[in-house]
C-alpha cells in the first residue's frame, strides 16, 4: 500500500474512533438501546450514509445504511430542516413517518439531532430507546431531558468535526460500510476480560494478568511478541490474529470481534481498535481485549443439560454459547455455531424473514416467537431425531447485554409460519457500486430472492400515496424500489391514444429507449407486449433480449432488463422498464414481487394522470383570475409576485390585487385554505367580491364584513384569510383591516423595519357576524408596505415569527435600492425577496407578495418646495 493510501486509512480510522465514541456516549446520554451516526456522502450528492451503529448489528439493518435527504424519514428531516425530531413511541412514528414505521414496526422511541459545526451540517445523530406512552407525563419529561442531553452531545461532536476540517483534515464524509460498535456492558464483567497492547515497531505485547488467565498459559511462558500471541490460540487461527493486528496498526480494525480458541479449545473473543484521533503518522500501537463470552463453567454445565436448545448472542449478534441440544436441532456442531453471527450460524436462520424477527427482538421490550423449517439432520442424528417434526419454534429474549434464543421442536405451530414454507436464502449481497445492493461488477447474478423478501411493499405503497405527479411517482420508484433489487435505471411509458410515450427516464444509455417512443399497441417490442399481454418480461442478459427481439438496436448495451405492465383495475396505463447494469437472474420470488409492485405503480400513475388534468384546469383558472396589471397612481408604486407551491396540487387560492378606490388605492391580499380547482374557484369569487366593494370605495371594515357574509352564504366548505388596505397616496394615510392574515411589514425611509400592530378579526367564512377593526398607519415618502401570505415566512421546523423576522431584515436591506429618489424599481425588490423561494424545488405552500411604496420626492422637486417655504 502506498504512503498516501496508508495515511488515508489512518485518517479514516481516527475519524471512525471519534464517531464511535460519540455514538456510545449518546446511548448513555439518552439511556438508549442503540445509536447511529449518519454522515454526508462524499460521492453522491443528497445522500446520507450510516457511518457508525452502536449497540445493534449493522448487517441486520442494511436497508437503512443509505438515506436520501428528500425521503420522508426522520433522519432526512433532521438533516434537511436542521431541527430535532423526537418520536416517543411507535404511534407517533406511524403518524408522522409512515414509511419509516412500516419498515421497523416495533415498539421503540427515537431521537434525531442534526450534527452541525459553524455553517456546516455534517450529519445526524440518531438514538433508539424504549417507547414512552403518551399518557406517561413523567416518562415524557424524562424523554425531553434525554433530548437535551443528546443535543449537547451532537453539538460537541459538530464542534470537533468543524475543528477537524478547519485544521486541514479531509472533508467529513462517509462512503464505506458502517462501523459496528459495542456499547459498554450493563453489568461489570471485569473478571472475565483481559487487556493487552501491541507495539508494532518493537513487536512487543504487554498484557495484564487476566489476559494470561484467559489464554490458559502462565505469564512466564509468554514470549511477549505478536507472533507469540498468535501461537497461543488454536492451530490454524494464528494467522488471523497476526493479520488483524497488522491491519489495526494500519488503521483498519476488524468490524466485529475475532473469535479465537485457546489451545484447550475454549472460545475467546478478541477485540482490537484503531488509535485515537491526534496520533502521529506511521504504524500505531494496538489496544485489545480478550473476553470470555460464556456464562462460565458452572453455567455451561447447567445449560448443557437443558432439554431445549439454548443459544446466547451478544448485542452485536455474535453467538457466545450454544448447548448440545441447540446444535442438534439446528443441524450444526457447536463449534460451527459459537463465534459466528446468529443469522449466519444455521441455514434456517439466514432467511430475511428471520432477520426481521431478530430486528424485532433487538428493538422490542418483550420476547419474539416465530417458526422456521428444520434443517436436514446429518446421518448421525437423523435416525434418533426424525420424530421431533419438521418445524422449529424459536423464542428470542433480549437482555441488556445478551440475546437468549430458545429452540424447540414444533409439530403444530400456534403462530403464523412466516418462513417455514420458504427455502433458506443466502445472506444479503454486499453493497455494490453507487450504493445499490448487488454482486461485484461484471459477475452474473442468480436471483436469490433475498432482496424480494427484504423489500417491504408497504413502504412503496405509503410513498406512492404522497406522490401526485407522474414525475413524483417515478422518483419514488427510483428511490424506494430499485435499490432493493440492485437496479439503477428506470423508464416509465404512459399510454396515450393507443401509443406509448416516455414520461420518465434515468440511467439508460443513449439509443436504448428510442425504439419504444411513440410506438402503437401493434408494435413487436417488449414494452408493448408486456402491456397487451399483461405478463412481465424478464431478460437475464442483453444477449437473451436480442435473441428474442432481433430487430432492436442493442449492440452497445449490457446488463439485464425487466419489463413490467402497468395495469390498474383492468385499465391499461403504460409499461415500466427496470434496468440493471450487469447480467443477473430473476428468481420466481422476485418476479412475483415485482409484478405485484407494478400494480401499485400503475394505480399511482393513473392517479397522477387525473391530477395532471385537474392541475391544468386549476392553473388555467388561476392565471385567468390573477390580475394582468395593477392599478397605478402617480404617487404610488406597486409590485406583486405569486409562486405556486411545489407539493401536492401546486395550485392554491392565494391572490393579490390593487384597485382604484375613489381618489385612493385599495391594496388586497388573501389566501384561501386548500389547493386545487375548488380553492382557485373560491379565490375567484372572493377577488370579485372584494374588487366590487373596493370600486365603491367602501371602508375597509365593511369590505371584509361584506365579503365574509358572501363566503358564509356560499358555504363552499373553505375559509380564507385577507388583509385590506385603503391608501391615500397624497397624505400617506393607510387604513387597514385584517381577517386572520399575517401582519403587514412596514419599512420606513430611514431603513427601520417593523411588524405593524394591526388587530384583526377571524378568517372569512367562519362566523357570519364577525367584526373587523380598522387600524390607521402612515406611509412617509419612500416607505414600503409589504403584504404577504404565510408561504413566504413559514417553513417546516421554523417558527413563523422567525420567518417574519427574516423578512424584516431582508426588506430593510434590499428596500434601500428603491426607497431613495431615482432608485431601482420596486419590482427588483420583489424579485430579490422571493429569489430563494423561486429557485427552490421544495415549496410546501403558495407564496404571494404585494409591495407598495409612496414615491420619494425627486431632488429638484424637494428644492422647489424649500424655496416656496422660504418665500412664504
Amino acid at each position: 500500500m502506498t504512503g498516501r493510501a496508508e495515511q488515508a486509512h489512518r485518517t479514516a480510522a481516527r475519524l471512525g474512533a471519534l464517531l464511535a465514541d460519540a455514538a456510545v456516549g449518546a446511548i448513555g446520554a439518552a439511556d438508549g438501546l442503540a445509536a447511529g451516526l449518519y454522515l454526508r456522502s462524499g460521492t453522491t450528492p443528497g445522500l446520507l450514509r450510516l457511518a457508525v451503529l452502536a449497540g445493534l448489528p449493522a448487517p441486520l439493518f442494511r436497508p437503512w445504511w443509505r438515506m436520501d435527504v428528500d425521503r420522508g424519514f426522520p433522519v432526512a428531516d433532521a438533516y434537511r430542516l436542521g431541527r430535532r425530531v423526537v418520536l416517543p413511541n411507535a404511534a407517533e412514528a406511524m403518524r408522522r413517518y409512515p414509511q419509516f414505521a412500516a419498515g421497523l414496526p416495533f415498539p421503540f422511541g427515537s431521537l434525531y439531532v442534526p450534527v452541525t459545526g459553524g455553517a456546516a451540517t455534517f450529519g445526524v445523530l440518531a438514538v433508539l430507546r424504549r417507547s414512552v406512552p403518551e399518557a406517561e407525563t413523567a416518562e415524557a419529561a424524562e424523554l425531553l431531558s434525554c433530548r437535551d442531553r443528546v443535543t449537547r452531545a451532537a453539538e460537541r461532536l459538530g464542534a470537533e468535526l468543524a475543528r477537524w476540517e478547519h485544521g486541514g483534515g479531509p472533508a467529513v464524509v462517509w462512503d464505506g460500510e458502517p462501523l459496528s460498535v459495542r456499547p459498554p456492558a450493563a453489568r461489570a464483567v471485569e473478571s472475565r476480560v483481559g487487556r493487552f497492547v501491541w507495539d508494532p515497531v518493537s513487536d512487543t505485547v504487554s498484557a495484564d494478568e487476566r489476559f494470561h488467565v484467559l489464554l490458559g498459559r502462565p505469564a512466564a511462558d509468554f514470549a511477549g511478541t505478536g507472533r507469540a500471541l498468535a501461537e497461543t490460540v488454536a492451530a490454524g487461527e494464528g494467522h488471523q490474529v497476526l493479520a488483524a493486528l497488522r491491519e489495526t496498526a494500519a488503521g483498519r480494525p476488524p468490524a466485529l470481534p475475532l473469535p479465537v480458541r485457546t489451545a484447550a479449545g475454549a472460545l475467546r473473543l478478541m477485540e482490537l481498535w484503531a488509535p485515537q484521533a491526534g496520533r502521529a503518522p506511521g504504524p500505531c500501537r494496538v489496544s485489545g481485549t480478550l473476553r470470555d463470552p460464556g456464562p462460565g463453567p458452572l453455567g455451561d454445565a447447567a445449560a448443557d443439560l437443558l432439554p431445549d436448545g439454548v443459544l446466547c448472542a451478544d448485542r452485536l449478534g455474535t453467538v457466545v454459547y450454544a448447548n448440545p441440544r441447540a446444535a442438534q436441532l439446528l443441524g450444526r456442531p457447536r463449534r460451527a455455531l459459537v463465534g459466528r453471527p446468529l443469522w449466519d450460524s444455521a441455514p434456517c436462520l439466514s432467511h430475511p424473514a428471520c432477520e426481521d424477527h431478530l430486528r424485532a427482538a433487538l428493538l422490542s421490550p418483550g420476547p419474539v416467537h416465530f417458526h422456521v423449517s428444520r434443517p436436514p439432520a446429518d446421518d448421525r442424528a437423523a435416525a434418533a431425531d426424525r420424530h421431533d417434526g419438521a418445524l422449529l419454534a424459536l423464542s428470542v429474549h433480549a437482555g441488556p447485554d445478551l440475546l437468549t434464543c430458545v429452540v424447540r421442536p414444533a409439530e403444530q405451530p400456534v403462530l403464523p409460519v412466516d418462513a417455514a414454507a420458504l427455502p433458506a436464502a443466502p445472506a444479503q449481497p454486499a453493497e455494490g457500486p453507487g450504493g445499490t445492493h448487488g454482486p461485484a461488477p461484471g459477475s452474473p447474478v442468480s436471483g436469490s430472492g433475498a432482496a424480494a423478501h427484504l423489500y417491504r411493499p408497504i413502504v412503496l405503497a405509503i410513498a406512492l400515496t404522497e406522490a401526485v405527479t407522474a414525475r413524483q411517482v417515478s422518483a419514488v420508484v427510483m428511490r424506494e424500489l430499485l435499490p432493493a433489487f440492485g437496479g439503477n435505471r428506470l423508464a416509465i411509458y404512459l399510454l396515450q391514444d393507443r401509443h406509448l410515450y416516455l414520461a420518465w427516464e434515468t440511467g439508460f444509455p443513449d439509443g436504448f429507449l428510442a425504439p419504444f417512443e411513440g410506438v402503437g399497441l401493434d408494435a413487436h417490442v417488449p414494452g408493448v407486449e408486456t402491456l397487451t399481454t399483461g405478463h412481465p418480461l424478464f431478460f437475464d442478459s442483453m444477449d437473451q433480449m436480442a435473441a428474442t427481439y432481433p430487430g432492436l438496436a442493442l449492440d452497445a448495451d449490457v446488463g439485464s432488463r425487466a419489463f413490467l405492465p402497468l395495469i390498474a383495475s383492468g385499465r391499461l396505463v403504460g409499461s415500466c422498464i427496470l434496468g440493471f447494469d450487469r447480467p443477473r437472474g430473476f428468481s420466481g420470488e422476485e418476479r412475483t414481487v415485482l409484478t405485484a409492485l407494478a400494480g401499485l405503480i400503475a394505480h399511482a400513475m393513473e392517479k397522477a394522470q387525473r391530477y395532471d388534468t385537474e392541475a391544468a384546469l386549476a392553473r388555467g383558472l388561476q392565471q385567468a383570475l390573477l390580475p394582468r396589471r395593477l392599478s397605478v397612481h402617480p404617487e404610488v408604486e406597486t409590485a406583486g409576485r405569486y409562486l405556486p407551491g411545489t407539493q401536492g396540487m401546486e395550485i392554491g387560492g392565494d391572490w393579490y390585487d390593487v384597485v382604484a378606490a375613489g381618489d385612493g388605492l385599495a391594496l388586497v391580499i388573501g389566501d384561501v385554505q386548500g389547493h386545487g380547482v375548488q380553492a382557485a374557484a373560491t379565490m375567484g369569487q372572493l377577488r370579485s367580491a372584494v374588487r366590487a366593494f373596493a370600486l365603491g370605495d367602501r371602508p375597509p371594515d365593511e369590505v371584509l364584513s361584506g365579503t365574509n357574509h358572501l363566503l358564509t352564504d356560499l358555504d363552499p366548505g373553505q375559509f380564507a384569510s385577507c388583509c385590506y388596505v385603503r391608501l391615500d397616496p397624497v397624505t400617506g394615510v393607510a387604513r387597514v383591516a385584517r381577517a386572520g392574515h399575517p401582519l403587514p411589514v412596514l419599512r420606513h425611509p430611514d431603513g427601520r423595519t417593523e411588524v405593524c400592530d394591526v388587530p384583526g378579526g377571524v378568517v372569512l367564512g367562519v362566523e357570519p357576524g364577525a367584526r373587523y377593526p380598522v387600524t390607521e398607519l402612515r406611509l412617509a415618502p419612500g416607505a414600503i408596505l409589504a403584504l404577504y401570505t404565510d408561504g413566504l415566512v413559514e417553513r417546516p421546523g421554523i417558527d413563523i415569527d422567525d420567518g417574519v423576522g427574516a423578512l424584516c431584515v431582508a426588506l430593510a436591506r434590499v428596500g434601500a435600492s428603491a426607497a431613495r429618489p431615482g432608485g431601482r424599481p420596486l419590482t427588483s425588490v420583489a424579485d430579490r425577496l422571493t429569489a430563494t423561494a423561486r429557485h427552490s424545488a421544495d415549496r410546501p405552500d403558495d407564496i404571494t407578495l404585494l409591495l407598495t411604496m409612496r414615491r420619494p420626492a425627486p431632488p429638484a422637486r424637494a428644492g422647489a418646495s424649500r424655496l416656496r417655504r422660504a418665500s412664504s
Side-chain angles (χ1 to χ4, degrees), residues 587-680:
S587 68
E589 186 179 1
E590 285 183 310
R591 294 174 185 234
T592 300
V593 172
L594 286 172
T595 303
L597 294 177
L600 293 178
I601 300 169
H603 280 281
M605 276 296 180
E606 187 181 46
K607 181 186 71 175
Q609 288 178 309
R610 292 196 302 268
Y611 158 81
D612 288 337
T613 301
E614 182 180 353
L617 176 61
R619 275 192 292 267
L621 178 60
Q622 181 149 34
Q623 291 301 320
L625 293 173
L626 286 174
R628 298 180 185 275
R629 61 183 182 84
L630 302 178
S631 296
V632 296
H633 191 281
E635 300 292 335
V636 175
E637 184 179 358
T638 58
R641 293 292 181 268
Y642 169 76
L643 301 174
T646 58
Q647 299 178 7
M649 277 295 300
E650 299 185 5
I651 300 299
D654 286 18
W655 90 95
Y656 65 92
D657 207 349
V658 178
V659 186
D663 56 357
L665 289 178
L667 315 172
V668 189
I669 194 166
D671 183 1
V672 177
Q673 167 257 342
H675 294 79
V677 174
Q678 182 62 48

Side-chain angles (χ1 to χ4, degrees), residues 230-391:
E231 290 173 351
T232 59
V233 302
E237 296 179 350
H239 68 284
Q240 298 179 14
V241 174
L242 277 177
L245 288 172
R246 291 165 181 161
E247 288 290 297
T248 304
R252 302 183 297 275
L256 295 174
L258 183 67
V260 297
R261 292 184 181 274
T262 67
L267 174 70
R268 300 292 183 258
L269 295 180
M270 182 179 290
E271 293 191 68
L272 308 172
W273 55 88
Q276 299 293 318
R279 294 292 182 90
C284 296
R285 289 156 58 95
V286 175
S287 299
T289 61
L290 197 68
R291 184 161 57 96
D292 178 1
L298 185 60
D300 281 351
D304 284 353
L305 300 176
L306 292 176
D308 294 329
V310 177
L311 293 95
C312 294
D314 62 17
R315 293 290 297 188
L316 293 189
T318 302
V319 176
V320 297
Y321 169 77
N323 70 353
R325 180 59 168 160
Q328 183 186 46
L329 292 173
L330 293 174
R332 302 290 297 276
R334 296 175 73 179
R335 186 183 183 91
L337 294 173
V338 178
R340 294 169 58 89
L342 180 60
W343 50 92
D344 287 344
S345 57
C348 63
L349 297 179
S350 63
H351 198 282
C354 295
E355 294 180 4
D356 206 27
H357 291 300
L358 294 178
R359 285 192 286 266
L362 287 162
L363 296 177
S364 303
V368 174
H369 310 279
F370 57 101
H371 291 77
V372 297
S373 294
R374 185 171 181 179
D378 57 32
D379 293 340
R380 290 169 296 174
D385 224 19
R386 282 302 86 193
H387 64 277
D388 281 337
L391 295 176

